[in-house]
Amino acid sequence: MKKLLVLLVVLSTAAFSRELTLEQAIDLGLNNGKSIKTSEISKENADLNVRRAFKLALPKVTYNGKYEKSEHETRSMFVGERSNVEEKSGYSQSIGVYQPLFKGGAITGGILGAEASKSMANIYYLTEKRDVRMNIIENYSKIINDQRDLEVLKASMDELQERYKKQKEQLALRIITKADLLKTEFNILELESQITGKKTDLQISKKDLKLKLMIPENETITLQEFSVPENLLKEIHFKTDLSQALTNSLSAKLAGNKVKYARAEKMVSRSSLLPEIDAFATYGTSRESHNFNESFDNAEWRGGIKVKWDVFNFGSGIDEYNVAQNNENIENLNKKITEDNIKLSVTRNYREVIRLEQLKESRKKALAASDENFAIDTERYNAGLISTVDFL
């Protein structure tokens, strides 16, 4: 019975545990992330807007129907004579086909603007995927580092506990003083607080990662370590990368599409200054009649060209066009600012990689020196040549 209980506990633990690699974590984040799903819906809406913009150039079929009922009063010229009040009713209906011929560029501008919006939605989607990927890598790396730090702290605590036991024996033999023992006790307490803080950080980081990957709270995750390629500078070509960043980076493409969208808005605003021309063909009654049967009998075909032009509106259309033109100028300036920021960012990151490569080499040398010094100080401490305080 006891073996059965142990087996059930092991199976339940395995059912609620998962081992993840960095790539698996990234895939889960991209597939389950809420922000990714929001960007996907926005991208779908952008596709629908493009389809809707194209359909505005196509003919449309419209049905109109109206029924009215009112009082019809017959007035008399004689004073005091009552008017004859009757009821008046009428019904009219028609169906027509309307084809836009000229909208002053509003349809073309709408299509260009919708396509620019679609491109921006795709860029925002790719940007969101990039940010999710980078965020998961950062969170994943922090958990790995916290686990390593916790192992180091625990190993230090084990070694310090062993030193503490020896110091108690040395104090009993009056080899060391009480101050040496108190110093060790202080270091043990300080190390315990560091271990507690690191465990808290590790717990919060894992919970955060579970939320991003949509992993149940009661499921235990184990992360596999990953390696960073050596000599990163070998794969970096500064001039080539800078040229590609200025043309193919998400920031550059987004800035370019914002200019296209502003240009399309200017085209749409200019259309308000020009006439609108539509071709139409209708069939039905053009006006109401007093008899329903006559309204059907009087149906007729009509067709022609309709022109609408706001000749005067106190200059509001010109103001709208000037605002759109200014917005286009703003986006052109923002594009240049984006290009300048890309140049600075690529240069800064390139220099930072160089600095980190140099720092890594210096840290390796420092680690080797520290290991050698620790080994020497351990021998000197065991030989009683240095005090506990100096050794700690």
Side-chain angles (χ1 to χ4, degrees), residues 92-109:
S92 64
Q93 64 175 350
S94 66
I95 186 169
V97 180
Y98 299 87
Q99 172 64 54
L101 299 179
F102 180 74
K103 292 290 185 181
I107 295 178
T108 304

Side-chain angles (χ1 to χ4, degrees), residues 249-260:
S249 66
L250 296 178
S251 299
K253 289 184 177 180
L254 182 61
N257 279 281
K258 285 184 177 180
V259 173
K260 292 180 181 179

Side-chain angles (χ1 to χ4, degrees), residues 8 19 107 126 138 159 203 298 308 320 355 371 383:
L8 289 175
E19 187 173 1
I107 295 178
L126 295 176
E138 182 180 1
E159 185 172 346
Q203 183 179 7
N298 293 334
K308 178 185 176 183
E320 182 181 356
R355 187 189 70 83
D371 287 339

Side-chain angles (χ1 to χ4, degrees), residues 300-360:
E300 60 183 3
W301 285 99
R302 291 191 174 192
I305 302 294
K306 183 176 69 173
V307 180
K308 178 185 176 183
W309 194 357
D310 294 333
V311 179
F312 180 73
N313 56 6
F314 294 96
S316 63
I318 297 177
D319 293 336
E320 182 181 356
Y321 175 76
N322 290 333
V323 169
Q325 191 172 27
N326 289 335
N327 288 335
E328 183 185 6
N329 294 332
I330 290 173
E331 294 303 333
N332 280 318
L333 292 174
N334 287 336
K335 181 181 178 183
K336 294 180 180 179
I337 293 173
T338 300
E339 291 174 352
D340 293 337
N341 290 334
I342 289 174
K343 291 178 183 178
L344 291 174
S345 179
V346 172
T347 304
R348 185 185 303 111
N349 292 335
Y350 179 74
R351 297 295 180 184
E352 181 66 10
V353 172
I354 294 176
R355 187 189 70 83
L356 292 175
E357 287 285 347
Q358 295 172 344
L359 180 63
K360 183 177 68 173

